[in-house]
Amino acid sequence: DSGVTQTPKHLITATGQRVTLRCSPRSGDLSVYWYQQSLDQGLQFLIQYYNGEERAKGNILERFSAQQFPDLHSELNLSSLELGDSALYFCASSVGLAGSAEQYFGPGTRLTVT
Amino acid sequence: EDQVTQSPEALRLQEGESSSLNCSYTVSGLRGLFWYRQDPGKGPEFLFTLYSAGEEKEKERLKATLTKKESFLHITAPKPEDSATYLCAVQAGDYKLSFGAGTTVTVRA
């Protein structure tokens, strides 16, 4: 158990809908990262937050957005969903802003868009 | 752009048969190279961080090494419970992790 929690575990929704994925980082970690893992793309970095502020952006679509709240939990919002958005979404956390801090991953949310 | 290539894609081993996984990378300003283990449907589990060429780290039957262009993950006398996908990732100047596609290891009893 990494100490990172994610809810829900599974999500099934229809195209065009909007969903919110939630992540709670390990106790004491200030950085939260979101990743998408699909069969054909591997693990892709989406976005990073540090202590409530956006710090780095990866291959995140404009239909996706995220935020980190004062209690440090984070939410990833996915809107206008398409079939291709079906994937595992992972949240990870680390102690510091960056450097070479290890990232610890949550169990993931499996999103299925039908 | 950072590139991480892992080989082989899949590796089938007999219990006790040692082998090595390769991770070659192209990155500007390497800050760290990470190895993770991932079981099906679960989140990656952190194994090692390597910072500079020549560095080695060990954990049970796993040993990771780093050169200027690649890293190796050696599995010594593997057991069936070592079956998993092993992911390599590099962290560069912009701090984000870039992952390879992984090597899926299957160890048969």
Side-chain angles (χ1 to χ4, degrees):
Chain A
D1 184 357
S2 68
V4 179
T5 60
Q6 291 186 247
T7 56
K9 191 166 180 150
H10 301 280
L11 202 47
I12 301 174
T13 189
T15 54
Q17 295 299 304
R18 172 190 168 97
V19 297
T20 297
L21 313 183
R22 182 188 169 105
C23 167
S24 292
R26 293 188 317 159
S27 177
D29 285 359
L30 298 179
S31 276
V32 169
Y33 310 79
W34 285 97
Y35 291 86
Q36 179 192 57
Q37 187 175 42
S38 56
L39 284 174
D40 58 344
Q41 290 283 320
L43 203 56
Q44 299 286 319
F45 168 73
L46 296 178
I47 197 164
Q48 177 199 1
Y49 278 82
Y50 174 78
N51 204 21
E53 293 191 10
E54 181 185 307
R55 283 298 186 169
K57 252 183 176 178
N59 303 320
I60 188 167
L61 300 172
E62 285 191 11
R63 300 183 285 109
F64 296 0
S65 64
Q67 54 185 325
Q68 186 179 27
F69 295 87
D71 66 353
L72 300 177
H73 90 271
S74 178
E75 293 181 357
L76 180 67
N77 300 295
L78 315 176
S79 62
S80 303
L81 285 167
E82 302 176 358
L83 295 177
D85 297 328
S86 296
L88 269 168
Y89 290 84
F90 290 105
C91 165
S93 72
S94 67
V95 171
L97 172 62
S100 51
E102 296 91 15
Q103 295 181 23
Y104 292 87
F105 283 75
T109 293
R110 182 175 293 280
L111 174 66
T112 303
V113 183
T114 62
Chain B
E1 186 172 314
D2 303 339
Q3 287 203 332
V4 182
T5 304
Q6 292 188 247
S7 61
E9 287 185 18
L11 192 59
R12 293 177 66 86
L13 301 172
Q14 200 66 36
E15 184 172 3
E17 177 189 1
S18 302
S19 189
S20 295
L21 285 55
N22 177 266
C23 170
S24 62
Y25 61 90
T26 304
V27 63
S28 298
L30 179 73
R31 291 187 175 270
L33 185 140
F34 301 79
W35 282 99
Y36 285 84
R37 168 196 169 123
Q38 187 175 25
D39 293 306
K42 299 197 173 179
E45 175 190 342
F46 171 76
L47 293 174
F48 304 109
T49 310
L50 300 167
Y51 299 102
S52 57
E55 190 173 0
E56 299 182 351
K57 288 198 176 168
E58 284 188 72
K59 179 180 179 180
E60 296 180 357
R61 295 176 294 282
L62 301 176
K63 179 180 176 179
T65 62
L66 181 66
T67 71
K68 288 187 177 178
K69 292 185 177 180
E70 57 191 350
S71 177
F72 292 93
L73 184 66
H74 308 278
I75 309 179
T76 302
K79 299 182 177 182
E81 52 262 43
D82 295 321
S83 297
T85 295
Y86 291 87
L87 299 169
C88 168
V90 295
Q91 189 175 47
D94 59 358
Y95 303 122
K96 71 179 180 71
L97 283 183
S98 297
F99 280 85
T103 294
T104 300
V105 175
T106 305
V107 183
R108 295 166 292 174

